[in-house]
Structure formats: structure tokens, C-alpha cells
Amino acid sequence: MIDRQTPRILVVDDELGVREGCRRVLEPAGYVVEVAASGREALRLIQEQPFDLVLLDVVMPDIRGIDLLEPIHARDPDIVCIIITGFATVELAVQAIKAGAYNFLSKPFSADVLLMAVEQGLERRRLSLETHRLQALERETAELTRAKEELERLDRFKSTFMFTVAHELRAPLSAIQSFLVALLKGYVPPDKQTEMLQRTVERTGELLELVDDLLKLSAARNEQQQLKREVLSLAEPLDKAFALLKARADEKRVACNLEIRQRPRVEANADQMMQLWTNLISNAIKYTPAGGRVTVTLEEQDGWAVGTVQDTGIGIAPQDQGRIFEEFYRTPQAKEFEHRGTGLGLPLVKRIVEAHGGTIEVESALGRGSRFTFRLPVTAAH
């Protein structure tokens, strides 16, 4: 809890039951609680009073809760905002986190879940304010290091939380998809909703792709996870990935060529090397029109294993090249060319490469294709 004062919480929801229910849980726990029934009322209270944490409903009659995040943080960048909604989806959670929300609660939630989320949010605010004070007053290095470690611990917790959510989502989504496929294959008599059901199956497939990418990204980000590494030839996972993806390229009528000039050995996690090659090659195939070409090369240069994936696809504009490794970011051209995509493939590639002591760079021009080059240190072990 915040030492300087009793924590102040604002509950913004157009449902009286939710507002008063939160008040009944939080006030006995020692918090000062104010409530607002609309976005405009919430903005007025934010301007008039200090708050440490805001619980925001998504759907309100005047202003969406997500649209309140920017003016709230303009007033105080350290206010912790938690989105609450009865219409929870992966897309909405991603949108809320990207807009600046700290956490995301699905209605209905229990008193214990609410208290845990509030306590974690207030701890996050306390540490943020403490860091600001340390920076302003230039306190001792040891104190600043401790605060930094605490912030990093909270960031790891957030990553673990995302990993858990993604893991829990995968099972029900798989079940939904299996049920819909059974309907479409005629195990259940077809009806007029077949076309709608087909779109639903495709949508669940996209969500499963997102969940898979979130799981892989969370694993790559978790510094505490000790992945097994071994000395291996970087050509081995390349051979496997290329063989798996060649059929996809042929189906799209994209020429796909492989040039293994040397077989450098690296100390790496085999599964992540497979992910590295798969993501780069599949991206090149995906964003190359029919009649185009993808060339994959592997060689060794001055103690580095150098992998290159070059295509004649849609390319990347200069202003987007600095953002393609951001999580969930997709260029406008990529969205227009291919609807499906999570925006997590290249961030995962970058984390894998950097976790193995390497670098990755891109050269590209709109309409002329892209060239991704990564370098990993060659191992001296035999």
C-alpha cells in the first residue's frame, strides 16, 4: 500500500450494482472509494481529486472506458487503470494493455480477485512513484537498484500472467474449433448457418494462432526459464523448416530456394532455432505474391553464423522498419495484403536471436521485397 496516504480508488461503471459492490469490498479493506456512473463524471472527478487507481468499465453510454485511459494518464501518468468488462476477448485485452491499462478483469469477478488486482496495481504505482523520487533526489545507488529490481520483478509477473491466460484460453478454443469442424463435415446435419459457422472456425483458428504466439513469446521473455541448449548445426533446423514450408510456397506459386554454403555450429535451443527459421521463412512466403521468389541462405563469416531470408514481396516502408519488431505491430501493407496475422512473429524472432547473443537487421523497400539477416556466434565446442 502507498505509505504517504490512504490509497484512493475511483470506480467508473454505469451499473449501480457494480459500483456499490466494489465499494463494499474495497472500503472495509482500508481504501477511500469514489464512484462515477459515466465517463464525463469520471473525468470531472479526476480533474478535481487525486486518485491512485481507477477501475474502468469498457461499455458506458457516453465514453468508452478505453478512451478514458489517455486523459487519465495525461492528468497523472502513474495512475493505475484496470479495465473491467462483461465482454472479455483476447483482442479487447490486447487493445486495453496497448492503450495503457495495467490489468484486465472479466465480469463477474469475486471479491478476492478484485482485492488481488487492486493490491498489485497499487504496488505497481508505489514502486513507480518511488522510482521517480529516487531519480529526482539522486539517492544512493543501492536504493535505486533495489527499486529497479522490484519493477523488473513486477514485469516478470505480468509476463507470467499473460502466459497463464494464453495457456488457459487454448483448451476451450480447441474444443470450440473441433465442434464446429464436426458440424461442417456433416457429423451434425448442416443448416443455413454453415457459412457463418465456417467463418467462426476461421476466427477460432486465428485466435489459436495468437495464443500459440503469446505462449512462445512469453517463454522467450521469461528470464527465469532455463531452456536446454546444445551444440548443433544451424543447418539442421533450417532443413526441417524449409521442408515443411516448401509445400506452402509451391501452393502459392512462390519459388523457394535454399542455399546452405556452410553448416556453422552454435550453442542454442533446438526448438527456438526451429521457430526462428520457421517464422522468417513463413513470413517471406506469406507476404510474397504469386510469381515471386524467396531465397534462404546460411553461411559462416568471421566467427558468426549468418542466416538470410530474402523475398520479392510487398516490402516495408522506411517509417515502419523501426517498428516491425514491436509486439502486435503490423504494417498497413501487411494488413491489406494478408488479413490473418498476430504481429508477434518478428518480436519472437528478435528475442530468440538476442537471447542467443546475436543480432538481426532488415533491409527493405515497398514493392521490392525484404531481406532479413541474423547473426549468431559460432561455438568453439565440438
Side-chain angles (χ1 to χ4, degrees):
M1 295 174 62
I2 299 173
D3 297 330
R4 61 176 175 82
Q5 63 179 13
T6 301
R8 296 176 55 81
I9 298 172
L10 176 61
V11 181
V12 186
D13 199 299
D14 61 342
E15 296 182 40
L16 177 62
V18 174
R19 297 196 302 272
E20 294 307 314
C22 290
R23 188 201 296 273
R24 286 195 297 272
V25 171
L26 296 172
E27 285 186 340
Y31 305 121
V32 175
V33 180
E34 296 285 344
V35 297
S38 68
R40 290 187 178 89
E41 185 181 3
L43 287 176
R44 178 180 60 79
L45 289 172
I46 288 289
Q47 294 298 322
E48 294 174 354
Q49 305 177 38
F51 291 98
D52 300 292
L53 184 142
V54 180
L55 293 163
L56 276 174
D57 186 24
V58 171
V59 181
M60 291 185 289
D62 54 351
I63 306 174
R64 291 195 320 157
I66 289 179
D67 295 330
L68 289 173
L69 291 170
E70 182 176 353
I72 288 174
H73 287 138
R75 171 69 173 170
D76 181 352
D78 294 311
I79 292 180
V80 173
C81 296
I82 298 176
I83 293 293
I84 55 176
T85 181
F87 305 94
T89 64
V90 172
E91 291 88 350
L92 184 58
V94 169
Q95 183 184 1
I97 295 300
K98 291 179 69 175
Y102 172 74
N103 206 342
F104 186 90
L105 294 181
S106 300
K107 298 178 186 176
F109 44 80
S110 66
D112 288 341
V113 169
L114 175 61
L115 286 171
M116 180 180 296
V118 167
E119 289 169 3
Q120 290 169 352
L122 290 172
E123 175 70 0
R124 179 66 174 86
R125 174 170 170 82
R126 185 189 73 78
L127 289 169
S128 295
L129 293 174
E130 181 181 350
T131 299
H132 294 328
R133 291 197 301 270
L134 289 172
Q135 293 172 340
L137 300 175
E138 295 183 348
R139 292 182 177 176
E140 294 180 337
T141 302
E143 184 69 10
L144 184 58
T145 300
R146 185 196 63 80
K148 180 175 180 293
E149 290 173 349
E150 286 296 310
L151 284 173
E152 291 173 348
R153 181 184 63 82
L154 285 175
D155 287 340
R156 288 194 296 271
F157 169 80
K158 184 176 179 181
S159 178
T160 302
F161 171 75
M162 291 180 64
F163 180 90
T164 303
V165 170
H167 182 75
E168 293 298 323
L169 280 172
R170 196 180 196 286
L173 284 172
S174 296
I176 291 171
Q177 188 177 42
S178 297
F179 175 70
L180 294 175
V181 169
L183 286 174
L184 293 174
K185 287 187 174 181
Y187 302 139
V188 175
D191 56 24
K192 296 180 181 180
Q193 296 180 327
T194 299
E195 183 178 353
M196 181 188 71
L197 292 175
Q198 178 63 56
R199 291 197 300 266
T200 304
V201 170
E202 293 172 356
R203 190 72 185 118
T204 57
E206 293 175 15
L207 291 175
L208 282 169
E209 181 181 350
L210 173 60
V211 170
D212 285 337
D213 283 350
L214 281 169
L215 289 169
K216 294 172 184 175
L217 187 63
S218 295
R221 293 181 63 178
N222 191 346
E223 296 177 357
Q224 292 181 341
Q225 184 173 356
Q226 297 299 318
L227 294 174
K228 178 184 177 183
R229 295 192 181 189
E230 58 184 301
V231 176
L232 54 86
S233 167
L234 197 53
E236 294 175 5
L238 172 55
D239 284 329
K240 293 178 183 177
F242 189 85
L244 290 173
L245 295 169
K246 183 65 164 58
R248 185 184 305 177
D250 292 342
E251 184 179 348
K252 280 195 65 177
R253 293 188 292 113
V254 172
C256 206
N257 303 312
L258 176 61
E259 300 178 14
I260 299 180
R261 298 166 184 168
Q262 287 93 30
R263 293 179 171 266
R265 298 178 66 79
V266 297
E267 185 174 358
N269 176 265
D271 290 339
Q272 288 196 338
M273 292 302 99
M274 183 70 174
Q275 290 173 17
L276 169 60
W277 284 117
T278 299
N279 284 11
L280 287 176
I281 299 171
S282 63
N283 258 18
I285 296 171
K286 179 189 294 186
Y287 295 112
T288 298
R293 183 177 65 259
V294 172
T295 302
V296 184
T297 61
L298 174 63
E299 58 189 331
E300 183 175 337
Q301 295 178 358
D302 301 323
W304 293 91
V306 182
T308 301
V309 179
Q310 184 167 359
D311 63 62
T312 59
I314 61 175
I316 305 165
Q319 65 270 22
D320 291 321
Q321 291 179 23
R323 300 194 59 192
I324 58 173
F325 295 107
E326 294 179 11
E327 293 165 14
F328 303 106
Y329 182 77
R330 297 183 73 211
T331 69
Q333 294 77 22
K335 293 177 182 177
E336 182 179 353
F337 186 82
E338 174 62 55
H339 171 69
R340 294 184 60 175
T342 64
L344 294 174
L346 288 177
L348 177 60
V349 164
K350 187 172 189 290
R351 288 192 176 275
I352 290 174
V353 169
E354 292 181 347
H356 287 80
T359 61
I360 185 167
E361 58 188 26
V362 59
E363 303 169 62
S364 186
L366 276 180
R368 299 176 58 186
S370 303
R371 175 187 175 97
F372 286 86
T373 303
F374 69 87
R375 292 173 172 81
L376 296 178
V378 173
T379 182
H382 297 285

